[in-house]
Amino acid sequence: MYPVVCFDERPCQLIDDSIAPIPMEPGKPRRQDYHYKRNGVASLFIAFEPLTGKRIVELRARRTKVDYAHFLKQVAQHYPNATKIRLVQDNLNTHNPSSFYQTFEASAAFELTQRFEMYYTPKKGSWLNMVEIELSVLSKQCLSRRIGELSELDQQVTAWAEARNRKKASVNWQFTLNQARQKFHRFYPNTST
């Protein structure tokens, strides 16, 4: 079994109202002041298996090599029967096997490096990673309002992921090989001669 898992993370600002909003009334929307209170940031880690519509999410206080390694260990535990997990990700400095060795003992780190087969999207091409579509959906459906506490953000993101997993919501990827060759023609050798 070789599941394809797309991974990415994004920062989430914890923003709270500084003045209590005026609740919705018949014929009037909820109103909130433009002033807000910033309560810090969190990092949202997401792994998405587009062929099955399965996603794993976790919120962490930071985005470091250690956080990355712990999250991927959790991802590996979701696929106990996988021969290799094909991991699609961008080229961020934390996204490499050295994160495992910095975080775990050598034997555990080696075991994790053997579980993953890492594929990197090209620079300025992270949009090729299907998890970006999931992050866009998450942003629109869950993160477009003020959430001031990490516990509330965690609850909302977890509920969103569980609902999407129940639906087995996947991505209808329509970018073909021919379209890729047209878009990235300067990277492909001329094969017509």
Side-chain angles (χ1 to χ4, degrees):
M1 183 167 112
Y2 292 87
V4 176
V5 177
C6 301
F7 166 79
D8 205 0
E9 77 272 314
R10 75 168 293 232
C12 296
Q13 288 194 60
L14 299 172
I15 296 177
D16 212 351
D17 292 306
S18 58
I19 299 172
I22 300 170
M24 181 173 30
E25 295 175 5
K28 292 184 180 178
R30 178 178 186 263
R31 289 166 283 171
Q32 67 184 31
D33 194 69
Y34 62 90
H35 287 103
Y36 60 87
K37 179 172 58 172
R38 189 169 184 265
N39 293 338
V41 294
S43 287
L44 170 69
F45 289 76
I46 182 170
F48 173 55
E49 188 181 357
L51 299 176
T52 64
K54 178 179 176 181
R55 61 212 34 78
I56 303 162
V57 295
E58 183 179 1
L59 281 163
R60 294 189 155 261
R62 298 174 303 150
R63 180 196 54 85
T64 64
K65 284 185 168 196
V66 172
D67 296 306
Y68 169 80
H70 281 291
F71 182 73
L72 286 189
K73 182 179 181 183
Q74 180 185 341
V75 169
Q77 291 168 349
H78 278 80
Y79 299 96
N81 299 323
T83 306
K84 285 265 189 192
I85 301 166
R86 293 178 173 150
L87 186 68
V88 179
Q89 59 188 345
D90 59 19
N91 282 298
L92 197 63
N93 62 342
T94 58
H95 297 178
N96 59 60
S98 71
S99 299
F100 300 139
Y101 287 95
Q102 184 175 326
T103 306
F104 305 115
E105 290 185 19
S107 60
F110 180 75
E111 187 178 311
L112 276 171
T113 60
Q114 297 306 299
R115 294 290 317 277
F116 290 97
E117 195 172 278
M118 296 182 176
Y119 297 90
Y120 297 96
T121 58
K123 289 183 180 180
K124 299 182 183 178
S126 64
W127 60 271
L128 291 166
N129 192 344
M130 288 183 239
V131 75
E132 295 285 344
I133 296 168
E134 276 301 292
L135 283 171
S136 176
V137 172
L138 172 64
S139 295
K140 291 173 185 166
Q141 293 179 348
C142 184
L143 303 177
S144 59
R145 62 187 185 285
R146 291 182 184 173
I147 300 174
E149 298 296 324
L150 184 60
S151 59
E152 182 185 355
L153 181 62
D154 187 40
Q155 180 184 8
Q156 295 292 322
V157 167
T158 301
W160 173 86
E162 288 171 356
R164 299 275 293 167
N165 283 341
R166 275 192 304 276
K167 289 181 186 175
K168 296 184 180 189
S170 62
V171 171
N172 182 10
W173 188 254
Q174 297 180 11
F175 194 64
T176 66
L177 179 60
N178 286 335
Q179 289 170 324
R181 286 194 170 131
Q182 288 173 357
K183 180 129 182 116
F184 301 113
H185 63 85
R186 66 183 179 275
F187 300 116
Y188 289 89
N190 186 354
T191 57
S192 61
T193 57

